Amino acid sequence: MSDRQIKARFLEILNPSSTSTSTTHQSSARIKTSSDISDQAKRLRRLVLTAGIPDEPNLPPSQPSIRARVWKLLLHVDHLDSADYLRLVDKGPSGVSTKIKNDTFRTLATDTDFKGKVREDMLIRLLEAFVWRSQEKALEMEGGLDFSYVQGMNVLSAPFLYTLPTQVEAFACFSTFIETSCPQYVQRDLRGVHRGLELLDKCLEVADPELYAHLRSKSLSAELYAFPSALTLCACTPPLDQVLKLWDFLLAFGVHLNILCVIAQLLMMRQELMESPSPMKLLRIFPPLQANSIIGITLALAKDLPEDLYKELVRHPVSG
């Protein structure tokens, strides 16, 4: 399919009412049921996998892209509260403001497209608002997970600020994503990240015992070479357009698959790693992302994992 045909398919799913001009007003006024949204999400997931979300480089800044609309639907973000976001922003610096500012200035610092669209003050506002929101929710709910600002959260917020047309939408999607898709990754001890790295070693041993043994013979565990990729869901590895395509896949099918995405990158550089007497030199900076190749390998890896190990993988971003 051409990009135009793919775009038309996405718009058909996102705007089911547009297929009939005579019923557009009636259909758009109808409240969507959970069944409607679930069906839309299933169709979008299938299309993300088979065709990929097309890039739209010439859109006006205020117009939501297909990617923005798909991300919101996959995250079930259908309500925006601009007043509440502004209220949180007006609260000013939080208790972790210094920590936030120590990270935001270097967020995707080498990506000129990102820097041209997302200013540092936008990152700071979103992250400060998230901290204030989390503190308020913690007072209302006892015994829940503890959310604040932790290492890597600046990079996790970056794709949302880049993709969504407004800061309010970026904040809503980022907050929902953190709290529902990977809450264990942003606890103070980063327990989900460390658990993911343990599982990466286990999955690599299953997927490629020879490569696993070679890395272990050099005293290399996933904790040493894959921490940034696990922490940021590969958003630390350029280029940004490939990060966004990989995130389309992760938002559609689950953050847990990022661990297999990292293994896919190892397999793509397998020969160099096997031949190198010092593979850590190659692993300090991963090669540029190739999203389609990574996704294809990841799907093959997922099929071959033992069922119990795959269940552990699914659980680790969301439960202790």
Side-chain angles (χ1 to χ4, degrees), residues 66-280:
I66 289 175
R67 173 169 284 118
R69 296 174 65 187
V70 169
W71 284 17
K72 285 172 68 176
L73 193 142
L74 291 173
L75 289 166
H76 303 286
V77 173
D78 55 6
H79 174 71
L80 301 172
D81 193 336
S82 301
D84 191 54
Y85 178 63
L86 292 174
R87 178 186 65 81
L88 292 168
V89 169
D90 284 343
K91 291 171 77 71
S94 67
V96 291
S97 184
T98 300
K99 191 175 180 181
I100 289 172
K101 291 178 181 177
N102 283 342
D103 288 342
T104 51
F105 77 92
R106 57 189 173 203
T107 304
L108 305 189
T110 61
D111 192 289
T112 54
D113 284 344
F114 177 78
K115 287 296 184 183
K117 187 173 181 180
V118 180
R119 302 185 310 274
E120 184 184 0
D121 63 287
M122 295 164 63
L123 282 161
I124 293 171
R125 275 198 298 273
L126 183 147
L127 294 168
E128 296 278 23
F130 178 79
V131 171
W132 285 120
R133 178 178 182 271
S134 299
Q135 289 181 5
E136 291 180 357
K137 291 185 73 174
L139 292 174
E140 297 170 3
M141 299 170 55
E142 293 187 8
L145 288 173
D146 179 24
F147 293 103
S148 183
Y149 178 79
V150 296
Q151 178 188 5
M153 202 177 276
N154 58 311
V155 181
L156 292 176
S157 69
F160 293 106
L161 280 166
Y162 185 84
T163 298
L164 279 298
T166 68
Q167 290 182 52
V168 175
E169 289 169 280
F171 176 73
C173 287
F174 170 75
S175 300
T176 300
F177 174 72
I178 291 295
E179 293 169 0
T180 63
S181 297
C182 57
Q184 296 291 330
Y185 271 52
V186 294
Q187 297 306 294
R188 294 179 193 273
D189 57 3
L190 302 178
R191 67 190 68 163
V193 177
H194 294 299
R195 178 58 180 150
L197 293 167
E198 291 175 6
L199 290 169
L200 196 156
D201 280 327
K202 289 184 178 181
C203 292
L204 179 59
E205 186 175 15
V206 171
D208 193 329
E210 187 180 7
L211 177 57
Y212 171 79
H214 177 64
L215 294 178
R216 295 299 292 189
S217 74
K218 306 298 181 181
S219 300
L220 291 179
S221 67
E223 279 278 355
L224 295 175
Y225 63 79
F227 181 81
S229 295
L231 179 71
T232 65
L233 306 180
C234 291
C236 62
T237 304
L240 181 57
D241 67 314
Q242 297 299 299
V243 170
L244 298 179
K245 290 181 183 297
L246 195 61
W247 274 42
D248 295 339
F249 171 68
L250 295 176
L251 289 174
F253 296 98
V255 165
H256 63 282
L257 289 171
N258 181 61
I259 297 302
L260 300 184
C261 289
V262 179
I263 293 177
Q265 292 170 78
L266 298 178
L267 296 180
M268 290 169 69
M269 55 193 300
R270 184 184 192 279
Q271 183 173 346
E272 295 94 326
L273 291 171
M274 292 297 297
E275 293 175 354
S276 174
S278 303
M280 189 61 194

